[in-house]
Coordinates of all heavy atoms in Angstrom, one line a residue:
S1 N -5.8 -7.8 -8.9 CA -4.9 -9.0 -9.1 C -3.6 -8.7 -8.6 O -2.9 -9.6 -8.0 CB -4.9 -9.3 -10.5 OG -4.4 -8.2 -11.3
F2 N -3.1 -7.5 -8.8 CA -1.7 -7.1 -8.3 C -1.6 -7.2 -6.8 O -0.7 -7.8 -6.2 CB -1.3 -5.8 -8.8 CG 0.1 -5.4 -8.4 CD1 1.2 -5.9 -9.1 CD2 0.3 -4.5 -7.4 CE1 2.5 -5.5 -8.7 CE2 1.6 -4.1 -6.9 CZ 2.6 -4.7 -7.7
E3 N -2.6 -6.7 -6.1 CA -2.6 -6.7 -4.6 C -2.7 -8.1 -4.2 O -2.0 -8.5 -3.1 CB -3.8 -5.9 -4.1 CG -3.6 -4.3 -4.4 CD -4.8 -3.6 -3.8 OE1 -5.8 -4.2 -3.2 OE2 -4.8 -2.4 -4.0
R4 N -3.5 -9.0 -4.8 CA -3.6 -10.4 -4.4 C -2.2 -11.1 -4.7 O -1.8 -11.9 -3.9 CB -4.8 -11.1 -5.1 CG -6.1 -10.7 -4.7 CD -7.2 -11.6 -5.2 NE -7.4 -11.3 -6.7 CZ -8.2 -10.4 -7.2 NH1 -9.0 -9.7 -6.5 NH2 -8.2 -10.3 -8.5
D5 N -1.6 -10.8 -5.8 CA -0.3 -11.4 -6.1 C 0.8 -11.0 -4.9 O 1.5 -11.8 -4.5 CB 0.2 -11.0 -7.4 CG -0.6 -11.5 -8.5 OD1 -1.3 -12.5 -8.3 OD2 -0.5 -11.0 -9.7
V6 N 0.6 -9.8 -4.5 CA 1.6 -9.3 -3.5 C 1.3 -9.9 -2.2 O 2.3 -10.4 -1.5 CB 1.5 -7.8 -3.4 CG1 2.4 -7.3 -2.2 CG2 2.0 -7.1 -4.7
V7 N 0.1 -10.0 -1.8 CA -0.3 -10.4 -0.4 C -0.4 -11.9 -0.3 O 0.1 -12.5 0.7 CB -1.6 -9.7 0.1 CG1 -2.0 -10.2 1.4 CG2 -1.4 -8.2 0.0
C8 N -1.0 -12.5 -1.2 CA -1.5 -13.9 -1.2 C -0.5 -14.9 -1.8 O -0.3 -16.0 -1.3 CB -2.9 -14.1 -1.7 SG -4.1 -13.0 -1.0
E9 N 0.2 -14.5 -2.9 CA 1.0 -15.5 -3.6 C 2.3 -15.7 -3.0 O 2.7 -15.0 -2.1 CB 1.2 -15.0 -5.1 CG 0.0 -14.9 -5.9 CD -0.7 -16.2 -6.1 OE1 0.1 -17.2 -6.1 OE2 -1.9 -16.3 -6.2
D10 N 3.0 -16.8 -3.5 CA 4.3 -17.1 -2.8 C 5.3 -16.0 -3.3 O 5.3 -15.5 -4.4 CB 4.8 -18.5 -3.4 CG 6.1 -18.9 -2.8 OD1 6.5 -18.3 -1.8 OD2 6.8 -19.8 -3.4
E11 N 6.2 -15.7 -2.3 CA 7.2 -14.6 -2.6 C 8.1 -15.0 -3.7 O 8.6 -14.1 -4.5 CB 8.0 -14.3 -1.3 CG 7.1 -13.7 -0.2 CD 8.0 -13.5 1.0 OE1 9.2 -13.8 1.0 OE2 7.4 -12.9 2.1
S12 N 8.6 -16.2 -3.8 CA 9.5 -16.7 -4.9 C 8.9 -16.6 -6.3 O 9.6 -16.5 -7.2 CB 9.9 -18.1 -4.6 OG 8.9 -19.0 -4.6
A13 N 7.5 -16.5 -6.4 CA 6.9 -16.5 -7.7 C 6.6 -15.1 -8.1 O 6.2 -14.9 -9.3 CB 5.5 -17.2 -7.6
F14 N 7.0 -14.1 -7.3 CA 6.7 -12.7 -7.7 C 7.8 -12.2 -8.6 O 9.0 -12.5 -8.4 CB 6.6 -11.8 -6.5 CG 6.2 -10.4 -6.7 CD1 4.8 -10.1 -6.9 CD2 7.1 -9.4 -6.8 CE1 4.5 -8.8 -7.2 CE2 6.8 -8.1 -7.0 CZ 5.5 -7.8 -7.3
C15 N 7.4 -11.5 -9.7 CA 8.4 -11.0 -10.7 C 9.0 -9.7 -10.0 O 8.3 -8.8 -9.8 CB 7.8 -10.6 -11.9 SG 8.8 -10.0 -13.2
L16 N 10.3 -9.7 -9.8 CA 11.0 -8.6 -9.2 C 11.5 -7.6 -10.2 O 12.6 -7.2 -10.2 CB 12.2 -9.1 -8.3 CG 11.8 -10.1 -7.2 CD1 13.0 -10.7 -6.6 CD2 10.9 -9.4 -6.2
S17 N 10.6 -7.2 -11.1 CA 11.0 -6.2 -12.1 C 11.0 -4.8 -11.5 O 10.4 -4.6 -10.4 CB 10.1 -6.2 -13.3 OG 8.8 -5.9 -12.9
L18 N 11.7 -3.9 -12.1 CA 11.6 -2.5 -11.7 C 10.3 -1.9 -11.7 O 9.8 -1.1 -10.8 CB 12.6 -1.6 -12.5 CG 14.1 -1.9 -12.3 CD1 15.0 -1.1 -13.3 CD2 14.6 -1.6 -10.9
E19 N 9.5 -2.3 -12.7 CA 8.2 -1.8 -12.8 C 7.3 -2.3 -11.6 O 6.5 -1.6 -11.1 CB 7.6 -2.3 -14.2 CG 6.1 -1.7 -14.4 CD 5.6 -2.3 -15.7 OE1 6.4 -3.0 -16.4 OE2 4.4 -1.9 -16.0
N20 N 7.5 -3.6 -11.3 CA 6.7 -4.1 -10.2 C 7.1 -3.5 -8.9 O 6.2 -3.2 -8.0 CB 6.9 -5.6 -10.1 CG 6.0 -6.4 -11.2 OD1 5.2 -5.7 -11.9 ND2 6.2 -7.6 -11.4
I21 N 8.4 -3.3 -8.7 CA 8.9 -2.6 -7.5 C 8.3 -1.3 -7.4 O 7.9 -0.8 -6.3 CB 10.5 -2.7 -7.4 CG1 11.0 -4.1 -7.3 CG2 10.9 -1.8 -6.2 CD1 10.6 -4.8 -6.1
A22 N 8.4 -0.5 -8.5 CA 7.8 0.8 -8.5 C 6.3 0.9 -8.2 O 5.8 1.7 -7.5 CB 8.1 1.5 -9.9
T23 N 5.6 -0.2 -8.8 CA 4.2 -0.3 -8.5 C 4.0 -0.6 -7.0 O 3.0 -0.1 -6.4 CB 3.6 -1.3 -9.4 OG1 3.9 -1.1 -10.8 CG2 2.1 -1.4 -9.2
L24 N 4.8 -1.5 -6.5 CA 4.7 -1.8 -5.0 C 4.9 -0.5 -4.2 O 4.1 -0.2 -3.3 CB 5.8 -2.8 -4.7 CG 5.4 -4.3 -4.7 CD1 6.6 -5.0 -4.4 CD2 4.3 -4.6 -3.9
Q25 N 5.8 0.3 -4.5 CA 6.1 1.5 -3.8 C 4.9 2.5 -3.9 O 4.5 3.1 -3.0 CB 7.4 2.2 -4.2 CG 8.7 1.4 -3.9 CD 9.9 2.0 -4.5 OE1 9.9 2.8 -5.4 NE2 11.1 1.6 -3.9
K26 N 4.4 2.5 -5.1 CA 3.2 3.4 -5.3 C 2.0 2.9 -4.5 O 1.3 3.8 -3.9 CB 2.9 3.5 -6.8 CG 1.8 4.4 -7.2 CD 1.6 4.4 -8.7 CE 0.4 5.4 -9.0 NZ 0.2 5.4 -10.6
L27 N 1.8 1.6 -4.5 CA 0.7 1.1 -3.7 C 1.0 1.4 -2.2 O 0.0 1.7 -1.5 CB 0.6 -0.4 -3.9 CG -0.4 -1.2 -3.1 CD1 -1.8 -0.7 -3.3 CD2 -0.3 -2.7 -3.3
L28 N 2.3 1.2 -1.7 CA 2.5 1.5 -0.3 C 2.3 3.0 0.0 O 1.7 3.3 1.0 CB 3.9 1.2 -0.1 CG 4.4 1.4 1.4 CD1 3.6 0.7 2.4 CD2 5.9 1.0 1.5
Q29 N 2.7 3.8 -1.0 CA 2.5 5.3 -0.8 C 0.9 5.6 -0.7 O 0.6 6.4 0.2 CB 3.1 6.1 -1.9 CG 4.6 6.0 -1.8 CD 5.3 6.8 -3.0 OE1 4.6 7.2 -3.9 NE2 6.6 6.8 -3.1
Q30 N 0.2 5.0 -1.6 CA -1.3 5.3 -1.6 C -1.9 4.8 -0.2 O -2.7 5.5 0.4 CB -1.9 4.6 -2.7 CG -1.6 5.1 -4.1 CD -2.1 4.3 -5.2 OE1 -2.7 3.2 -5.0 NE2 -2.0 4.7 -6.5
L31 N -1.4 3.6 0.3 CA -2.0 3.1 1.5 C -1.5 4.0 2.7 O -2.3 4.3 3.6 CB -1.5 1.7 1.8 CG -2.1 0.7 0.7 CD1 -1.5 -0.7 1.1 CD2 -3.6 0.6 0.9
E32 N -0.2 4.5 2.6 CA 0.2 5.3 3.7 C -0.4 6.7 3.7 O -0.7 7.3 4.7 CB 1.8 5.5 3.5 CG 2.6 4.3 3.9 CD 4.1 4.5 3.8 OE1 4.5 5.5 3.0 OE2 4.9 3.7 4.3
V33 N -0.7 7.2 2.5 CA -1.4 8.5 2.4 C -2.9 8.3 3.0 O -3.4 9.1 3.8 CB -1.5 9.0 0.9 CG1 -2.6 10.1 0.8 CG2 -0.2 9.4 0.4
K34 N -3.5 7.2 2.6 CA -4.8 6.9 3.1 C -4.8 6.8 4.7 O -5.7 7.3 5.4 CB -5.4 5.6 2.5 CG -6.9 5.5 2.7 CD -7.4 4.3 1.9 CE -7.3 4.5 0.5 NZ -7.9 3.3 -0.3
K35 N -3.7 6.1 5.1 CA -3.6 5.9 6.6 C -3.3 7.2 7.3 O -3.9 7.5 8.3 CB -2.4 4.9 6.8 CG -2.1 4.6 8.3 CD -0.9 3.7 8.5 CE -0.6 3.5 9.9 NZ 0.7 2.7 10.1
S36 N -2.5 8.0 6.6 CA -2.2 9.4 7.3 C -3.5 10.2 7.3 O -3.7 10.9 8.2 CB -1.1 10.1 6.5 OG 0.1 9.3 6.5
Q37 N -4.3 10.1 6.2 CA -5.5 10.9 6.2 C -6.4 10.4 7.3 O -7.1 11.2 8.0 CB -6.2 10.7 4.8 CG -5.4 11.4 3.7 CD -6.1 11.1 2.4 OE1 -7.0 10.3 2.2 NE2 -5.6 11.8 1.3
N38 N -6.5 9.1 7.4 CA -7.4 8.5 8.5 C -6.8 9.0 10.0 O -7.6 9.3 10.8 CB -7.4 7.0 8.5 CG -8.2 6.5 7.3 OD1 -8.9 7.2 6.6 ND2 -8.2 5.2 7.0
E39 N -5.5 8.9 10.1 CA -4.9 9.3 11.4 C -5.2 10.8 11.6 O -5.5 11.2 12.7 CB -3.4 9.1 11.3 CG -3.0 7.5 11.4 CD -1.5 7.3 11.3 OE1 -0.8 8.3 11.0 OE2 -1.1 6.2 11.5
A40 N -5.0 11.6 10.6 CA -5.2 13.0 10.7 C -6.8 13.3 11.0 O -7.1 14.1 11.9 CB -4.9 13.8 9.4
E41 N -7.6 12.5 10.3 CA -9.0 12.7 10.6 C -9.4 12.3 12.0 O -10.1 13.0 12.7 CB -9.8 11.8 9.5 CG -11.3 12.0 9.7 CD -12.1 11.2 8.6 OE1 -11.4 10.6 7.8 OE2 -13.3 11.2 8.7
C42 N -8.8 11.1 12.4 CA -9.1 10.7 13.8 C -8.5 11.6 14.8 O -9.1 11.9 15.8 CB -8.5 9.3 14.0 SG -9.3 8.0 13.1
E43 N -7.3 12.1 14.5 CA -6.7 13.1 15.5 C -7.5 14.5 15.5 O -7.6 15.0 16.6 CB -5.2 13.4 15.1 CG -4.5 14.2 16.1 CD -4.3 13.4 17.4 OE1 -4.3 12.2 17.4 OE2 -4.3 14.2 18.4
G44 N -8.0 14.8 14.4 CA -8.9 16.0 14.4 C -10.1 15.8 15.1 O -10.6 16.7 15.9
L45 N -10.7 14.6 15.0 CA -11.9 14.2 15.8 C -11.6 14.2 17.3 O -12.4 14.7 18.1 CB -12.5 12.9 15.3 CG -13.0 12.8 13.9 CD1 -13.4 11.4 13.5 CD2 -14.3 13.7 13.8
R46 N -10.4 13.6 17.6 CA -10.1 13.6 19.1 C -9.8 15.0 19.6 O -10.2 15.3 20.8 CB -8.7 12.8 19.2 CG -8.9 11.3 18.9 CD -7.7 10.5 19.3 NE -7.7 9.1 18.8 CZ -7.2 8.7 17.6 NH1 -6.5 9.6 16.9 NH2 -7.3 7.5 17.3
A47 N -9.1 15.9 18.8 CA -9.0 17.3 19.3 C -10.3 18.0 19.4 O -10.5 18.7 20.4 CB -8.1 18.0 18.2
Q48 N -11.2 17.7 18.5 CA -12.6 18.3 18.6 C -13.3 17.8 19.8 O -14.0 18.5 20.5 CB -13.3 17.9 17.3 CG -14.6 18.7 17.1 CD -15.3 18.5 15.7 OE1 -14.7 17.7 14.9 NE2 -16.4 19.0 15.5

């Protein structure tokens, strides 16, 4: 539900609390870690 609120809902309706901002940053970090893992995995496959 949080991801859907972030991506699909209106920006003006989102609660800009510190907790939500922190949760946003955590979500972004998780996605970036997953993206980095995919990139590293792909790069390893390319090197192989």
